[in-house]
Amino acid sequence: MQNRMMITGAGSGLGREIALRWAREGWRLALSDVSEAGLQETLKLVREAGGDGFVQRCDVRDYSQLTAFAQACEVKFGGIDIIVNNAGVASGGFFSELSLEDWDWQIAINLMGVVKGCKAFLPLLVQSKGKIINIASMAALMQGPAMSNYNVAKAGVVALSESLLVELAQQEVGVHVVCPSFFQTNLLDSFRGPTPAMKAQVGKLLESSPITAADIADYIFNRVAAGEFMILPHEQGRMAWALKQKNPQLLYDEMTVMADKMRAKARQSNG
């Protein structure tokens, strides 16, 4: 390992905090995002934290931009040791309200963006015997109501990671998937949904979280070092996942009650 890391969605939130956590260990970071201003700010903070690196604007929907980013890592760093597929967007709304465009947008960024990131960087990771860290969500495991397109995209990231874990073992490329629950982040900036009430409900959940993006980055750092495949940063998330594995019906019943409550709330705010 030559301490070279690539992060998508590094201009803010969890992507930025992951960059800072590894920067404190002296890593060189290749940072990408669709926000130039966010990237410049992250790079400044990375240098202050003891790391260094470069930024490159990259939209993960465009495979040619990801392959160009991989080439830049090869030219500037001589390769890459860890890739973090973190770029993502939020959305919500009951299935009947979501348009097919909402589905396409969600899948294109949150699932295919990760697929393309893995594909573009795989040759470099095989060379370095590096690691893939894919950022999914507890939504991948718990499938909460009124976010079916987000649930499906994130569940796809878990399935992809499980597939790669098995397929890449022989080439000594490590794979990790992270499933955080709600945490304090700017995910709402990109939120897309049919109703303002849904956005407000998600906003409340994000704000009420006791855990920050920096806490999650630190947890990821330690669990990757320990070689853990499925990384669940929230204690409540770990408990919920254990419950679902033991008694899935109990969880489905709880989610059904939650869906009813959400519908009632939406009706109140509309009325």
Side-chain angles (χ1 to χ4, degrees):
M1 284 249 165
Q2 293 180 42
N3 296 1
R4 305 161 299 187
M5 176 184 249
M6 173 287 268
I7 307 169
T8 64
S12 61
L14 183 57
R16 174 177 290 173
E17 293 300 340
I18 290 171
L20 294 178
R21 182 64 189 86
W22 265 265
R24 291 201 289 276
E25 310 295 321
W27 280 57
R28 290 181 290 163
L29 296 146
L31 307 166
S32 80
D33 201 288
V34 289
S35 162
E36 296 270 12
L39 281 176
Q40 292 303 333
E41 178 66 15
T42 301
L43 185 60
K44 181 171 141 294
L45 294 168
V46 155
R47 287 176 174 154
E48 286 165 11
D52 199 7
F54 72 95
V55 301
Q56 188 157 319
R57 191 189 179 281
C58 181
D59 183 334
V60 296
R61 288 174 291 187
D62 183 346
Y63 186 59
S64 66
Q65 290 184 32
L66 281 159
T67 53
F69 188 34
Q71 280 165 349
C73 290
E74 195 164 17
V75 170
K76 293 177 183 185
F77 290 171
I80 207 81
D81 299 293
I82 297 183
I83 68 164
V84 184
N85 290 302
N86 165 73
V89 289
S91 71
F94 285 102
F95 183 74
S96 56
E97 305 164 331
L98 292 169
S99 68
L100 289 178
E101 287 73 23
D102 290 332
W103 276 89
D104 288 342
W105 177 75
Q106 185 56 239
I107 300 287
I109 299 170
N110 282 7
L111 175 55
M112 289 311 297
V114 177
V115 171
K116 290 170 184 174
C118 291
K119 191 90 177 148
F121 280 84
L122 186 58
L124 294 181
L125 291 169
V126 170
Q127 277 171 22
S128 66
K129 302 196 187 315
K131 298 182 198 298
I132 294 169
I133 303 174
N134 290 330
I135 308 298
S137 163
M138 278 310 292
L141 307 175
M142 311 312 291
Q143 288 88 40
M147 46 201 284
S148 56
N149 58 346
Y150 186 78
N151 293 342
V152 168
K154 291 297 190 178
V157 173
V158 171
L160 170 69
S161 305
E162 288 174 334
S163 305
L164 294 178
L165 174 72
V166 174
E167 287 189 26
L168 300 179
Q170 201 176 11
Q171 285 146 302
E172 297 176 65
V173 174
V175 181
H176 307 267
V177 65
V178 184
C179 296
S181 307
F182 290 106
F183 60 95
Q184 296 150 25
T185 177
N186 64 338
L187 200 58
L188 273 196
D189 297 352
S190 68
F191 186 90
R192 191 187 280 197
T195 63
M198 193 64 68
K199 185 168 179 171
Q201 282 183 40
V202 174
K204 275 186 194 151
L205 286 167
L206 294 173
E207 281 164 27
S208 65
S209 168
I211 193 169
T212 64
D215 296 329
I216 292 174
D218 194 53
Y219 189 86
I220 295 169
F221 182 88
N222 292 320
R223 300 326 293 164
V224 166
E228 190 166 283
F229 166 67
M230 188 176 283
I231 299 172
L232 308 178
H234 290 70
E235 193 182 352
Q236 272 182 309
R238 294 192 288 275
M239 284 160 58
W241 178 227
L243 168 71
K244 183 175 180 181
Q245 287 172 297
K246 210 161 63 183
N247 188 348
Q249 190 58 51
L250 191 64
L251 195 86
Y252 301 145
D253 293 344
E254 267 185 47
M255 292 290 189
T256 306
V257 170
M258 196 196 295
D260 291 344
K261 281 184 184 160
M262 286 168 90
R263 278 202 187 89
K265 254 190 197 164
R267 274 198 300 271
Q268 273 171 4
S269 45
N270 290 342

